[in-house]
């Protein structure tokens, strides 16, 4: 898609990002030491901390990825919202209180304080590094997504801007993000997404979404055709023609036909109907042998690849209407449920040296898209497909409590009561936001704003349909969130290398300046890796990528955390084995999954396994490793009775 | 990289009660969540049933979000009460 930029949007964006950065620097200067950063927690009010929880947790992934997935796959995208929120229950009820009693900030500290084991130090450091990098990928992809419509820059430039800016911040100034900045960003994100949702409900639903009158919606063409006795296709609009062997091509076999008109090619979906064949317009991206990409048969700049998203038949109170006018939240969902919405299917077709991705219309009853099954195969699904779905839901449930950077905030308030209260504020704010994602996603789905090549942009583009100011503010908040999250992750990852690996595990005798220099070099290297991965994973749904990060974190960390807290016979070797097995199995499954095969440029069907979510295998494996190794090493190691009894 | 306790806490006599309560609450929520996942995986068309003008999936989804908050509030109230009672 081609976007036009407005100087106002760019100006607002730059100002906002500079303001947030300035605020970060100002607050960071006041809390320069690591101790100061944590000790500041003693004074933080539980409400501020609670909203900051939301600021931390609602990364670009929640906002961009979930909305994008709802916009293209309906309810299945919202399953991520439900799973992410449910994860807080594991964190609040099982992990937070006992870990706070252990008096530790992160699981790494908690694990190691009991055993002081070299192998735990090594495994915990590697795990922190891997989880941080996995969590960095979606943030970087999100950054690339945001700069395209806003600044008119290609994806990789956005990724590089974030990577370079953050790496410089981290490498020169240290941690530039505090509770107050997260509070500020979390509150703004909640306020402005509420404004967009109110706008969506106020605008109501229509069959020809013109974005409040600002942009005509593309009218999809439909033609009839018949097949002659010699197999040739005769089309109702004679200005189009098809090749004689259209049916024998790869496209023909996949249910499509390539038509030519005035020397320009187009691809149409072929549907059987009572009166012959019905041809429906598609959108397609063709990659030629030399790597050139054509969008709907032309160069990207020609803007032929339009935004989509509309309702085919709009029903309200049993009557078919063209538009509804403003609706209540439940009225909005109810109208969608009774209507038919056009969703988009996607097929990969290889012909010789060229590969084509065809996006075709899938009119879907609203009641069908307001229940699971459009992205995750659960209807008439094979065992593996059901397994894949369950595995993802387990990863989302178990991931939150295993993310090293999330639990830290539980320790920044003075008392346990305040910690719980702030968690509740956090859960309320995050839950409210996740309710809104349903309306944002469906709003994008029906407002003609979806870019099919990258659904991550759905929410910002929905905001754009309400005007450039709202769009710039929302994009800026999301971008600032990316900066904050990326800084935090790079600090965590470089800390794992410099502090846990080099200093503690390898026992390298370094001066303070040496340690700081090692940390900075590590930050630059991790930043470089994150930039590279952010470019490679362009176009992949951000929330899906976060799902992987959750799966890796849950597999590597959660069994160790839970068993240390609740099983007296846990040993240091058991913990190290559990982290290793969880990490390796989760990573291994991801690397040979169908979705990774697409990234390697191979067909997803060629992958040795047919599911993408590792958690249902890797978490049990990690538990088993811990139990087996702990039982085998009982005599050699001191069991953690006091931890379990605490 | 701070490694000491964030906040110095005295001995907490309510710890055992809170741990038990946490496990009970966790089991209640996990069962609710697991039922949701299992219905979706085994019989997804049930989720399309219309109840009070909405699909069951929408109702159950909203319920899971609100229920999380309700349980969290109850958990906090009970923990706070136990701390006040046992840590006099």
């Amino acid at each position: 898609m081609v976007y036009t930029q407005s100087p106002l949007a760019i100006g607002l964006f730059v100002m906002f990002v500079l303001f947030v950065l300035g605020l970060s620097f100002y607050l960071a200067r006041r809390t320069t030491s690591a101790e100061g950063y944590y000790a500041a927690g003693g004074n933080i009010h539980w409400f501020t901390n609670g909203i900051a929880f939301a600021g931390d947790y609602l990364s670009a992934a929640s906002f961009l990825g979930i909305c994008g997935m709802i916009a293209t796959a309906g309810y299945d995208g919202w399953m991520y919202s439900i799973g992410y929120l449910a994860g807080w229950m594991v964190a609040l009820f099982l992990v937070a209180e006992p870990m706070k009693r252990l008096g530790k900030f992160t699981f790494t500290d908690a694990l190691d304080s009991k055993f002081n084991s070299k192998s735990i130090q090594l495994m915990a450091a590697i795990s922190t590094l891997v989880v941080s990098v996995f969590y960095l990928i979606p943030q970087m992809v999100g950054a690339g997504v945001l700069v395209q419509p806003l600044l008119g820059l290609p994806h990789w430039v956005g990724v590089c801007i974030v990577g370079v800016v953050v790496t410089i911040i981290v490498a020169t100034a240290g941690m530039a993000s505090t509770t107050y900045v997260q509070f500020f960003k979390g509150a703004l994100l909640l306020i402005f997404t509420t404004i967009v949702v109110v706008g969506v409900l106020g605008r109501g639903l229509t069959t020809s979404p013109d974005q409040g009158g600002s942009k005509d919606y593309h009218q999809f063409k439909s033609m009839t055709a018949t097949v002659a006795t010699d197999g040739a296709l005769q089309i109702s609009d004679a200005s189009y023609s098809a090749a004689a062997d259209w049916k024998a091509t790869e496209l023909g076999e996949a249910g499509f036909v390539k038509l030519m008109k005035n020397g320009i090619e187009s691809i149409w979906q072929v549907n059987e109907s009572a009166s012959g064949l019905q041809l429906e317009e598609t959108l397609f991206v063709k990659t030629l042998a030399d790597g050139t990409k054509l969008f709907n048969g032309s160069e990207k700049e020609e803007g032929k690849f339009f935004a989509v998203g509309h309702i085919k038949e709009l029903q309200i109170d049993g009557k078919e209407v063209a538009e509804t006018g403003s609706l209540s939240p439940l009225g909005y969902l109810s109208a969608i449920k009774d209507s038919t919405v056009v969703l988009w299917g996607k097929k990969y077709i290889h012909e010789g040296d060229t590969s084509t991705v065809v996006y075709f219309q899938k009119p879907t009853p609203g009641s069908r898209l307001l229940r699971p099954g459009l992205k995750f195969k659960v209807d008439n699904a094979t065992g593996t497909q059901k397994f894949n779905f369950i595995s993802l839901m387990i990863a989302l449930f178990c991931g939150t409590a295993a993310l090293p950077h999330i639990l830290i905030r539980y320790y920044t308030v003075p008392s346990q009561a305040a910690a719980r209260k702030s968690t509740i504020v956090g859960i309320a704010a995050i839950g409210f936001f996740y309710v809104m994602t349903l309306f944002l996603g469906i709003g994008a789905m029906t407002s003609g704003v979806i870019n099919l090549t990258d659904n991550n942009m759905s929410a910002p583009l929905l905001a754009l349909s309400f005007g450039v100011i709202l769009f710039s503010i929302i994009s800026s908040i999301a971008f600032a969130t990316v900066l904050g999250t990326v800084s935090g992750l790079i600090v965590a990852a470089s800390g794992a290398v410099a502090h846990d690996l080099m200093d503690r595990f390898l026992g390298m005798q370094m001066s303070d300046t040496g340690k700081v220099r090692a940390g900075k070099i590590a930050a630059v290297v991790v930043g470089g890796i994150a930039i590279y991965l952010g470019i490679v994973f362009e176009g992949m749904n951000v929330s899906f990528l976060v799902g992987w990060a959750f799966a890796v974190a849950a597999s590597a960390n959660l069994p160790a955390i839970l068993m240390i807290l609740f099983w007296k016979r846990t040993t240091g070797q058991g913990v190290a084995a559990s982290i290793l097995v969880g990490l390796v199995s989760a990573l291994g499954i991801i690397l040979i999954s169908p979705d990774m095969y697409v990234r390697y440029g191979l067909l997803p069907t060629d992958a040795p396994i047919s599911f993408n979510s590792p958690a249902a295998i890797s978490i049990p494996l990690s538990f088993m490793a811990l139990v087996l190794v702990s039982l085998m090493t009982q005599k050699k190691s001191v069991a953690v009775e006091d931890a379990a009894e605490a | 990289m701070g490694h000491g306790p964030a906040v110095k806490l005295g001995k907490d006599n309510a710890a055992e009660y809170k741990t038990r309560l946490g496990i009970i609450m966790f089991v209640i929520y996990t069962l609710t969540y697991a039922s949701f996942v299992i219905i979706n995986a085994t019989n997804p068309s049930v989720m399309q049933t219309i109840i009070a003008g909405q699909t069951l999936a929408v109702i159950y989804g909203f319920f899971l979000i609100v229920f999380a908050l309700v349980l969290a509030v109850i958990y906090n109230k009970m923990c706070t009460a136990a701390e006040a009672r046992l840590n006099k």
Side-chain angles (χ1 to χ4, degrees), chain A residues 240-291:
Chain A
Y240 287 91
S241 62
D245 66 343
W246 67 277
K247 188 94 189 173
T249 59
E250 295 282 332
L251 265 178
E253 280 170 17
F256 300 102
V257 58
K258 180 163 47 177
L259 301 182
M260 298 299 288
K261 180 183 180 180
N262 304 331
I264 295 172
E265 71 175 39
S266 53
I267 294 177
W268 298 70
Q269 187 189 8
V270 183
N271 293 326
E272 305 270 351
S273 72
S275 56
L277 299 177
Q278 188 80 22
L279 305 186
E280 301 286 350
E281 193 176 349
T282 70
L283 281 81
F284 60 99
V285 180
K286 193 171 189 174
T287 311
L288 305 177
D290 62 358

Side-chain angles (χ1 to χ4, degrees), chain B residues 11-59:
Chain B
K11 182 160 169 48
D12 184 4
N13 297 318
E16 199 182 318
Y17 172 84
K18 286 191 287 185
T19 305
R20 219 175 34 239
L21 181 64
I23 293 174
I24 294 169
M25 292 277 188
F26 169 77
V27 169
I28 293 173
Y29 194 82
T30 304
L31 288 178
T32 319
Y33 179 80
S35 319
F36 173 74
V37 174
I38 289 167
I39 296 173
N40 284 328
T42 55
N43 204 348
S45 52
V46 170
M47 282 292 177
Q48 208 169 328
T49 318
I50 308 298
I51 296 170
Q54 305 294 340
T55 61
L56 176 60
V58 167
I59 304 251

Side-chain angles (χ1 to χ4, degrees), chain A residues 360-376:
Chain A
F360 57 95
Q361 300 181 55
K362 278 198 312 188
T364 310
S367 58
R368 180 70 187 78
L369 70 85
L370 285 177
R371 68 112 159 143
L374 292 174
K375 179 174 170 62
F376 310 122

Side-chain angles (χ1 to χ4, degrees), chain A residues 11-21 184 188 473 476-477 480:
Chain A
L12 272 172
F13 175 78
V14 172
M15 265 175 51
F16 188 89
V17 171
L18 286 180
F19 175 68
V20 171
L21 278 180
F184 179 69
L188 283 180
I473 294 174
S476 311
I477 297 168

Side-chain angles (χ1 to χ4, degrees), chain A residues 328-401:
Chain A
S328 68
L330 289 177
Y332 189 86
L333 294 177
S334 182
I336 287 285
K337 175 203 74 192
D338 296 332
S339 305
T340 304
V341 181
V342 174
L343 295 183
W344 290 80
K346 177 159 112 172
K347 268 193 183 153
Y348 296 91
I349 293 156
H350 285 267
E351 283 184 305
D353 290 341
T354 63
S355 63
T356 311
V357 186
V358 184
Y359 301 92
F360 57 95
Q361 300 181 55
K362 278 198 312 188
T364 310
S367 58
R368 180 70 187 78
L369 70 85
L370 285 177
R371 68 112 159 143
L374 292 174
K375 179 174 170 62
F376 310 122
K377 295 278 173 296
V378 284
D379 292 273
N380 307 319
T382 62
T384 321
Q385 286 164 334
K386 286 180 193 290
F387 173 83
N388 189 44
F389 168 76
I390 293 173
S391 187
L392 174 73
M393 296 312 287
I394 292 176
L396 300 182
F397 191 54
C398 298
T400 304

Side-chain angles (χ1 to χ4, degrees), chain A residues 34 75 89 93 97 101 103-105 109 330 333 337 367 370-372 378 386 393 411 413-414 416 420 424 435 499, chain B residues 1-7 12 18-19 22 29 33 40-41 44 48 53-55 57 62 72 75-76 79-80 83:
Chain A
Y75 193 89
M89 298 293 101
F93 293 146
E97 281 273 341
R101 275 199 296 280
K104 296 298 168 190
F105 296 122
D109 289 339
L330 289 177
L333 294 177
K337 175 203 74 192
S367 58
L370 285 177
R371 68 112 159 143
V378 284
K386 286 180 193 290
M393 296 312 287
Y411 307 95
V413 283
Q416 281 165 309
R420 283 195 305 271
I424 291 167
V435 167
H499 175 85
Chain B
M1 297 294 128
H3 284 270
V7 177
D12 184 4
K18 286 191 287 185
T19 305
Y29 194 82
Y33 179 80
N40 284 328
Q48 208 169 328
Q54 305 294 340
T55 61
F62 279 127
Y75 174 71
N76 177 50
C79 285
T80 311
E83 281 165 4

Side-chain angles (χ1 to χ4, degrees), chain A residues 38-120:
Chain A
Y38 290 111
N43 307 318
I44 289 170
H45 190 265
W46 53 267
F47 183 81
T48 312
N49 201 51
I51 299 293
F53 256 134
D56 265 342
Y57 197 63
L58 301 176
S59 68
S62 293
F63 182 59
L64 302 173
I66 292 179
C67 296
M69 208 181 282
I70 296 174
T72 50
Y75 193 89
D76 283 355
W78 203 46
M79 299 286 283
Y80 277 88
S81 293
I82 293 169
Y84 286 146
L85 189 80
W88 279 95
M89 298 293 101
V90 184
L92 176 66
F93 293 146
L94 289 190
V95 179
E97 281 273 341
M99 260 187 54
K100 195 170 170 78
R101 275 199 296 280
L102 281 180
K104 296 298 168 190
F105 296 122
T106 66
F107 88 101
T108 315
D109 289 339
L111 299 187
D112 198 34
S113 66
K114 284 294 147 201
F115 303 104
N116 195 19
S117 134
K118 284 278 172 203
S119 48
I120 292 186

